Short mmCIF file of all heavy atoms in Angstrom, two decimals:
data_model
loop_
_atom_site.label_atom_id
_atom_site.label_comp_id
_atom_site.label_asym_id
_atom_site.label_seq_id
_atom_site.Cartn_x
_atom_site.Cartn_y
_atom_site.Cartn_z
N ALA A 1 0.23 1.50 8.59
CA ALA A 1 -0.31 2.02 7.43
C ALA A 1 -1.39 1.03 6.93
O ALA A 1 -1.15 -0.22 7.04
CB ALA A 1 0.73 2.49 6.40
N GLN A 2 -2.37 1.59 6.24
CA GLN A 2 -3.44 0.64 5.75
C GLN A 2 -3.21 0.07 4.53
O GLN A 2 -3.93 -0.91 4.05
CB GLN A 2 -4.62 1.51 5.70
CG GLN A 2 -5.28 2.05 6.99
CD GLN A 2 -6.64 2.61 6.82
OE1 GLN A 2 -7.36 2.43 5.91
NE2 GLN A 2 -6.99 3.51 7.80
N ASP A 3 -2.09 0.24 3.72
CA ASP A 3 -1.77 -0.26 2.48
C ASP A 3 -0.48 0.29 2.00
O ASP A 3 0.14 1.12 2.52
CB ASP A 3 -2.86 -0.11 1.44
CG ASP A 3 -2.72 -0.96 0.23
OD1 ASP A 3 -2.22 -2.11 0.37
OD2 ASP A 3 -3.25 -0.55 -0.81
N THR A 4 0.04 -0.27 0.94
CA THR A 4 1.07 0.30 0.29
C THR A 4 1.18 -0.25 -1.23
O THR A 4 0.43 -1.04 -1.50
CB THR A 4 2.45 -0.05 0.97
OG1 THR A 4 3.54 0.62 0.49
CG2 THR A 4 2.75 -1.66 0.79
N TYR A 5 2.14 0.37 -1.94
CA TYR A 5 2.29 -0.12 -3.31
C TYR A 5 3.59 -1.12 -3.39
O TYR A 5 4.30 -1.05 -2.33
CB TYR A 5 2.41 0.95 -4.27
CG TYR A 5 2.43 0.54 -5.77
CD1 TYR A 5 1.28 -0.16 -6.22
CD2 TYR A 5 3.41 0.59 -6.72
CE1 TYR A 5 1.19 -0.63 -7.52
CE2 TYR A 5 3.44 0.26 -7.98
CZ TYR A 5 2.26 -0.45 -8.49
OH TYR A 5 2.18 -0.94 -9.71
N SER A 6 3.74 -1.91 -4.33
CA SER A 6 4.84 -2.94 -4.36
C SER A 6 6.03 -2.26 -4.86
O SER A 6 7.12 -2.92 -4.76
CB SER A 6 4.36 -4.03 -5.16
OG SER A 6 4.03 -3.69 -6.53
N GLU A 7 6.16 -1.06 -5.39
CA GLU A 7 7.34 -0.41 -5.85
C GLU A 7 7.63 0.72 -4.99
O GLU A 7 6.76 1.38 -4.54
CB GLU A 7 7.19 -0.01 -7.47
CG GLU A 7 6.86 -1.10 -8.38
CD GLU A 7 8.03 -2.03 -8.41
OE1 GLU A 7 9.11 -1.60 -8.26
OE2 GLU A 7 7.80 -3.23 -8.89
N ASP A 8 8.99 1.05 -4.91
CA ASP A 8 9.38 2.22 -3.96
C ASP A 8 9.21 3.47 -4.69
O ASP A 8 8.90 4.53 -4.00
CB ASP A 8 10.87 2.01 -3.68
CG ASP A 8 11.19 0.81 -2.84
OD1 ASP A 8 10.16 -0.01 -2.40
OD2 ASP A 8 12.30 0.49 -2.54
N LYS A 9 9.47 3.52 -6.11
CA LYS A 9 9.34 4.84 -6.69
C LYS A 9 8.85 4.54 -8.18
O LYS A 9 8.89 3.36 -8.69
CB LYS A 9 10.70 5.41 -6.84
CG LYS A 9 11.44 5.92 -5.57
CD LYS A 9 12.75 6.58 -5.85
CE LYS A 9 13.35 7.01 -4.49
NZ LYS A 9 14.61 7.71 -4.67
N GLY A 10 8.29 5.61 -8.85
CA GLY A 10 7.97 5.44 -10.20
C GLY A 10 6.64 6.25 -10.55
O GLY A 10 6.10 6.86 -9.61
N ALA A 11 6.21 6.05 -11.72
CA ALA A 11 4.92 6.68 -12.36
C ALA A 11 3.65 5.90 -11.98
O ALA A 11 3.09 5.18 -12.66
CB ALA A 11 4.98 6.83 -13.75
N TYR A 12 3.43 5.98 -10.69
CA TYR A 12 2.16 5.23 -10.03
C TYR A 12 1.23 6.19 -9.41
O TYR A 12 1.16 6.28 -8.16
CB TYR A 12 2.60 4.06 -9.13
CG TYR A 12 3.66 3.23 -9.76
CD1 TYR A 12 5.06 3.22 -9.41
CD2 TYR A 12 3.34 2.28 -10.73
CE1 TYR A 12 6.02 2.41 -10.01
CE2 TYR A 12 4.23 1.56 -11.43
CZ TYR A 12 5.61 1.56 -11.02
OH TYR A 12 6.55 0.79 -11.58
N THR A 13 0.54 6.95 -10.11
CA THR A 13 -0.24 8.06 -9.54
C THR A 13 -1.20 7.47 -8.55
O THR A 13 -1.95 6.54 -8.91
CB THR A 13 -1.05 8.82 -10.74
OG1 THR A 13 -0.01 9.34 -11.64
CG2 THR A 13 -1.96 9.94 -10.19
N GLY A 14 -1.25 8.07 -7.42
CA GLY A 14 -2.28 7.80 -6.43
C GLY A 14 -1.87 6.74 -5.49
O GLY A 14 -2.55 6.37 -4.41
N GLU A 15 -0.77 6.10 -5.76
CA GLU A 15 -0.27 5.01 -4.94
C GLU A 15 0.53 5.58 -3.93
O GLU A 15 1.15 6.71 -3.96
CB GLU A 15 0.42 3.96 -5.71
CG GLU A 15 -0.42 3.13 -6.68
CD GLU A 15 -1.43 2.22 -5.91
OE1 GLU A 15 -1.21 1.97 -4.77
OE2 GLU A 15 -2.60 2.17 -6.60
N VAL A 16 1.02 4.71 -2.78
CA VAL A 16 1.78 5.23 -1.74
C VAL A 16 3.04 4.34 -1.57
O VAL A 16 2.83 3.09 -1.58
CB VAL A 16 1.03 5.20 -0.35
CG1 VAL A 16 2.06 5.56 0.76
CG2 VAL A 16 -0.12 6.08 -0.46
N SER A 17 4.25 4.89 -1.58
CA SER A 17 5.56 4.20 -1.65
C SER A 17 5.76 3.63 -0.33
O SER A 17 5.66 4.21 0.77
CB SER A 17 6.61 5.12 -2.06
OG SER A 17 7.80 4.64 -1.57
N PRO A 18 6.25 2.37 -0.23
CA PRO A 18 6.68 1.68 1.03
C PRO A 18 7.91 2.37 1.52
O PRO A 18 8.12 2.52 2.69
CB PRO A 18 6.83 0.28 0.60
CG PRO A 18 7.26 0.29 -0.86
CD PRO A 18 6.36 1.36 -1.39
N LEU A 19 8.69 2.90 0.62
CA LEU A 19 9.94 3.80 1.07
C LEU A 19 9.49 4.92 1.86
O LEU A 19 9.98 5.23 3.02
CB LEU A 19 10.73 4.18 -0.13
CG LEU A 19 11.92 4.93 0.17
CD1 LEU A 19 13.00 4.49 1.14
CD2 LEU A 19 12.63 5.48 -1.21
N THR A 20 8.49 5.69 1.36
CA THR A 20 8.02 6.82 2.02
C THR A 20 7.30 6.52 3.30
O THR A 20 7.53 7.22 4.36
CB THR A 20 7.00 7.55 1.09
OG1 THR A 20 7.64 7.80 -0.09
CG2 THR A 20 6.45 8.87 1.76
N LEU A 21 6.70 5.43 3.43
CA LEU A 21 6.05 5.02 4.61
C LEU A 21 7.08 4.65 5.65
O LEU A 21 6.98 5.11 6.86
CB LEU A 21 5.18 3.65 4.45
CG LEU A 21 3.92 3.87 3.67
CD1 LEU A 21 3.18 2.54 3.44
CD2 LEU A 21 2.87 4.93 4.21
N SER A 22 8.07 4.07 5.37
CA SER A 22 9.26 3.77 6.34
C SER A 22 9.85 5.10 6.78
O SER A 22 10.09 5.28 7.86
CB SER A 22 10.36 2.86 5.51
OG SER A 22 11.34 2.69 6.43
N GLN A 23 10.08 6.00 5.78
CA GLN A 23 10.60 7.29 6.25
C GLN A 23 9.65 8.06 7.15
O GLN A 23 10.21 8.88 7.93
CB GLN A 23 10.94 8.07 4.91
CG GLN A 23 12.13 7.56 4.17
CD GLN A 23 12.26 8.11 2.81
OE1 GLN A 23 11.34 8.81 2.32
NE2 GLN A 23 13.43 7.93 2.17
N ALA A 24 8.35 7.77 7.06
CA ALA A 24 7.49 8.53 7.86
C ALA A 24 7.19 7.79 9.25
O ALA A 24 6.45 8.40 10.09
CB ALA A 24 6.04 8.39 7.16
N GLY A 25 7.97 6.79 9.57
CA GLY A 25 8.01 6.30 10.86
C GLY A 25 7.14 5.12 11.02
O GLY A 25 6.74 4.61 12.16
N VAL A 26 6.48 4.54 9.96
CA VAL A 26 5.54 3.47 9.92
C VAL A 26 6.41 2.12 10.27
O VAL A 26 7.41 1.86 9.77
CB VAL A 26 4.85 3.15 8.54
CG1 VAL A 26 4.08 1.97 8.50
CG2 VAL A 26 3.93 4.45 8.46
N LYS A 27 5.82 1.26 11.20
CA LYS A 27 6.53 0.04 11.56
C LYS A 27 5.79 -1.10 10.95
O LYS A 27 6.41 -2.17 10.65
CB LYS A 27 6.67 0.00 13.04
CG LYS A 27 7.16 -1.42 13.56
CD LYS A 27 7.70 -1.31 14.88
CE LYS A 27 8.37 -2.67 15.32
NZ LYS A 27 9.02 -2.59 16.65
N VAL A 28 4.51 -1.06 10.84
CA VAL A 28 3.70 -2.26 10.37
C VAL A 28 2.77 -1.69 9.21
O VAL A 28 2.11 -0.64 9.35
CB VAL A 28 2.84 -2.83 11.47
CG1 VAL A 28 1.94 -1.85 12.19
CG2 VAL A 28 2.14 -4.11 11.14
N VAL A 29 2.62 -2.56 8.16
CA VAL A 29 1.69 -2.13 7.16
C VAL A 29 0.69 -3.30 6.92
O VAL A 29 1.07 -4.54 6.72
CB VAL A 29 2.58 -2.04 5.84
CG1 VAL A 29 1.64 -1.54 4.66
CG2 VAL A 29 3.56 -0.90 5.99
N GLU A 30 -0.57 -2.91 6.93
CA GLU A 30 -1.83 -3.98 6.72
C GLU A 30 -1.91 -4.07 5.21
O GLU A 30 -2.08 -3.11 4.38
CB GLU A 30 -2.96 -3.32 7.27
CG GLU A 30 -4.26 -4.05 6.94
CD GLU A 30 -5.49 -3.31 7.42
OE1 GLU A 30 -5.42 -2.12 7.87
OE2 GLU A 30 -6.58 -4.00 7.31
N ILE A 31 -1.92 -5.30 4.78
CA ILE A 31 -2.24 -5.60 3.32
C ILE A 31 -3.10 -6.64 3.16
O ILE A 31 -3.24 -7.48 3.98
CB ILE A 31 -0.82 -5.96 2.56
CG1 ILE A 31 -0.01 -7.01 3.30
CG2 ILE A 31 0.02 -4.58 2.32
CD1 ILE A 31 1.13 -7.33 2.42
N GLY A 32 -3.77 -6.73 1.98
CA GLY A 32 -4.62 -7.98 1.76
C GLY A 32 -5.88 -8.06 2.45
O GLY A 32 -6.58 -9.11 2.44
N HIS A 33 -6.46 -7.05 3.02
CA HIS A 33 -7.68 -7.01 3.71
C HIS A 33 -8.75 -7.42 2.68
O HIS A 33 -8.71 -7.15 1.56
CB HIS A 33 -8.02 -5.58 4.28
CG HIS A 33 -9.23 -5.70 5.21
ND1 HIS A 33 -10.55 -5.63 4.78
CD2 HIS A 33 -9.24 -5.80 6.47
CE1 HIS A 33 -11.29 -5.75 5.81
NE2 HIS A 33 -10.59 -5.82 7.02
N ALA A 34 -9.78 -8.07 3.31
CA ALA A 34 -10.80 -8.69 2.44
C ALA A 34 -11.62 -7.56 1.63
O ALA A 34 -12.02 -7.79 0.47
CB ALA A 34 -12.00 -9.32 3.37
N GLU A 35 -11.71 -6.34 2.19
CA GLU A 35 -12.26 -5.21 1.46
C GLU A 35 -11.33 -4.84 0.25
O GLU A 35 -11.95 -4.55 -0.89
CB GLU A 35 -12.47 -4.00 2.42
CG GLU A 35 -13.32 -4.22 3.47
CD GLU A 35 -13.22 -3.29 4.62
OE1 GLU A 35 -12.37 -2.49 4.70
OE2 GLU A 35 -14.10 -3.47 5.57
N ARG A 36 -10.01 -4.89 0.44
CA ARG A 36 -9.15 -4.67 -0.77
C ARG A 36 -9.25 -5.69 -1.83
O ARG A 36 -9.33 -5.35 -3.01
CB ARG A 36 -7.65 -4.63 -0.13
CG ARG A 36 -7.26 -3.47 0.77
CD ARG A 36 -7.31 -2.01 0.23
NE ARG A 36 -6.57 -2.02 -1.05
CZ ARG A 36 -6.48 -0.82 -1.77
NH1 ARG A 36 -7.13 0.25 -1.24
NH2 ARG A 36 -6.03 -0.78 -2.87
N ARG A 37 -9.39 -6.93 -1.38
CA ARG A 37 -9.62 -8.06 -2.47
C ARG A 37 -10.93 -7.89 -3.08
O ARG A 37 -10.96 -8.18 -4.39
CB ARG A 37 -9.42 -9.34 -1.63
CG ARG A 37 -7.93 -9.60 -1.00
CD ARG A 37 -8.11 -10.94 -0.11
NE ARG A 37 -6.86 -11.09 0.64
CZ ARG A 37 -5.80 -11.88 0.26
NH1 ARG A 37 -5.67 -12.39 -0.94
NH2 ARG A 37 -4.77 -11.97 1.05
N ARG A 38 -11.99 -7.50 -2.32
CA ARG A 38 -13.26 -7.53 -3.00
C ARG A 38 -13.54 -6.26 -3.71
O ARG A 38 -14.10 -6.25 -4.90
CB ARG A 38 -14.30 -7.61 -1.80
CG ARG A 38 -15.77 -7.48 -2.28
CD ARG A 38 -16.79 -7.69 -1.22
NE ARG A 38 -16.59 -6.92 -0.01
CZ ARG A 38 -17.04 -5.68 0.05
NH1 ARG A 38 -17.72 -5.14 -0.76
NH2 ARG A 38 -16.84 -4.98 1.25
N LEU A 39 -13.07 -5.07 -3.18
CA LEU A 39 -13.48 -3.88 -3.92
C LEU A 39 -12.50 -3.41 -4.94
O LEU A 39 -12.91 -2.85 -5.94
CB LEU A 39 -13.61 -2.74 -2.86
CG LEU A 39 -14.63 -2.76 -1.83
CD1 LEU A 39 -14.50 -1.70 -0.75
CD2 LEU A 39 -16.02 -2.70 -2.34
N PHE A 40 -11.32 -3.87 -4.84
CA PHE A 40 -10.21 -3.39 -5.74
C PHE A 40 -9.53 -4.58 -6.47
O PHE A 40 -8.44 -4.36 -7.13
CB PHE A 40 -9.21 -2.59 -4.97
CG PHE A 40 -9.86 -1.44 -4.18
CD1 PHE A 40 -9.95 -1.43 -2.88
CD2 PHE A 40 -10.18 -0.27 -4.94
CE1 PHE A 40 -10.42 -0.43 -2.23
CE2 PHE A 40 -10.89 0.78 -4.27
CZ PHE A 40 -10.99 0.77 -3.01
N GLY A 41 -10.01 -5.75 -6.33
CA GLY A 41 -9.58 -6.91 -7.08
C GLY A 41 -8.16 -7.42 -6.74
O GLY A 41 -7.44 -7.98 -7.54
N GLU A 42 -7.73 -7.10 -5.43
CA GLU A 42 -6.35 -7.53 -5.16
C GLU A 42 -6.37 -9.03 -5.11
O GLU A 42 -7.01 -9.73 -4.65
CB GLU A 42 -5.86 -6.97 -3.88
CG GLU A 42 -5.65 -5.42 -3.85
CD GLU A 42 -4.99 -4.89 -2.72
OE1 GLU A 42 -4.72 -5.66 -1.81
OE2 GLU A 42 -4.69 -3.62 -2.72
#
């Protein structure tokens, strides 16, 4: 998966839960890409 949020559940509209990704069969999650840092201020 290309990203995730840091919380498993909650009022985080538009974010994607790592719990859900795990349940969807994802094994590896990409985080911290330079585009995320530059465009979204991570």
Side-chain angles (χ1 to χ4, degrees):
Q2 292 186 22
D3 193 26
T4 188
Y5 193 57
S6 56
E7 299 293 333
D8 294 355
K9 295 181 179 181
Y12 307 108
T13 300
E15 294 295 333
V16 177
S17 160
L19 172 61
T20 303
L21 292 178
S22 178
Q23 292 169 338
V26 168
K27 181 162 183 174
V28 60
V29 184
E30 173 190 6
I31 52 174
H33 191 277
E35 293 160 359
R36 298 287 316 173
R37 297 176 189 263
R38 174 173 56 87
L39 296 174
F40 303 105
E42 290 192 356

